Amino acid sequence: GQQVMQIPQYQHVQEGEDFTTYCNSSTTLSNIQWYKQRPGGHPVFLIQLVKSGEVKKQKRLTFQFGEAKKNSSLHITATQTTDVGTYFCAGHTGTASKLTFGTGTRLQVTL
Amino acid sequence: EAGVVQSPRYKIIEKKQPVAFWCNPISGHNTLYWYRQNLGQGPELLIRYENEEAVDDSQLPKDRFSAERLKGVDSTLKIQPAELGDSAVYLCASSFGHSSYEQYFGPGTRLTVT
């Protein structure tokens, strides 16, 4: 079955440093979504990417979808303590298919 | 606008006991999902409903798990009998349309089976 892996599994940065998480799918995706889950909370939708090579920005967050539509990345510039949480990518292989979540990257930010 | 509502938030039961979780999706969302999230892992889909119809239940352990969505609104997920390995957070989510739309998650029910 479809597998979606993320690296790193965990990253600890100091506030102000940059952070990147990478997402790799075993199969070609029709689209990819990113979610953030705060400690003790539930996943919250951040963004969806659909087109090959697409890049989207949300303030300090930059999302990319690979040319082959099998990988994606999330980059956070100048992290803040409010960025703490686990970031999940999640991909569809078709318009009516299930959403397969990645393994997640847990981000810890300290002052 | 109210979000996805789930109850209970926490449940502790002994193994072999039954348990049920309830979910009320966002008004107007016709797609409803039940996920299971184990500690340190991403959510895994158990079942997806389009209105009243279960369109994907391939990951639902049907020997002990059942779900229903009467009238295409609220949904209930049941486990009978529960096993130790069922301890997890059970998340309900809803979306406006099919799976390609963003999903809104409820707070989840943390189940502990002892």
Side-chain angles (χ1 to χ4, degrees), chain B:
Chain B
E1 178 184 280
V4 176
V5 179
Q6 289 188 248
S7 69
R9 292 293 311 278
Y10 305 90
K11 190 73 176 179
I12 301 174
I13 60 172
E14 295 184 344
K15 61 181 180 182
K16 300 185 181 180
Q17 294 301 304
V19 65
F21 314 123
W22 175 80
C23 173
N24 178 243
I26 291 174
S27 178
H29 283 192
N30 60 350
T31 306
L32 182 146
Y33 317 78
W34 282 103
Y35 288 89
R36 177 169 58 192
Q37 185 173 28
N38 292 308
L39 189 63
Q41 299 181 19
E44 294 178 308
L45 181 70
L46 292 174
I47 190 168
R48 172 168 62 100
Y49 282 94
E50 299 282 352
N51 300 305
E52 303 91 351
E53 183 182 0
V55 297
D56 185 354
D57 63 355
S58 57
Q59 303 301 311
L60 190 71
K62 297 182 183 62
D63 57 336
R64 298 183 300 107
F65 286 64
S66 65
E68 61 182 10
R69 191 185 184 197
L70 300 176
K71 301 181 181 179
V73 180
D74 295 359
S75 178
T76 302
L77 177 68
K78 297 178 181 178
I79 308 175
Q80 182 171 11
E83 297 179 352
L84 294 176
D86 295 331
S87 294
V89 175
Y90 290 82
L91 293 162
C92 178
S94 69
S95 64
F96 179 72
H98 57 66
S99 297
S100 291
Y101 285 78
E102 64 184 272
Q103 297 183 20
Y104 294 81
F105 284 81
T109 298
R110 182 177 296 277
L111 174 67
T112 302
V113 182
T114 62

Side-chain angles (χ1 to χ4, degrees), chain A residues 3 13 29 37 58 75-77 80 88 106:
Chain A
Q3 290 187 323
V13 300
L29 302 171
Q37 186 171 22
Q58 287 181 348
H75 179 82
I76 302 178
T77 303
Q80 300 175 359
F88 291 99
R106 185 161 70 93

Side-chain angles (χ1 to χ4, degrees), chain A residues 45-100:
Chain A
F45 176 84
L46 294 176
I47 207 161
Q48 175 168 279
L49 305 170
V50 179
K51 299 176 183 176
S52 170
E54 188 171 14
V55 178
K56 286 188 176 180
K57 293 189 176 184
Q58 287 181 348
K59 297 182 180 179
R60 296 178 294 103
L61 278 60
T62 302
F63 303 84
Q64 289 188 309
F65 200 8
E67 294 291 340
K69 301 184 76 172
K70 294 184 71 174
N71 57 74
S72 181
S73 66
L74 159 59
H75 179 82
I76 302 178
T77 303
T79 55
Q80 300 175 359
T81 54
T82 53
D83 296 325
V84 165
T86 300
Y87 292 85
F88 291 99
C89 63
H92 285 105
T93 55
T95 54
S97 69
K98 71 175 185 179
L99 192 63
T100 299

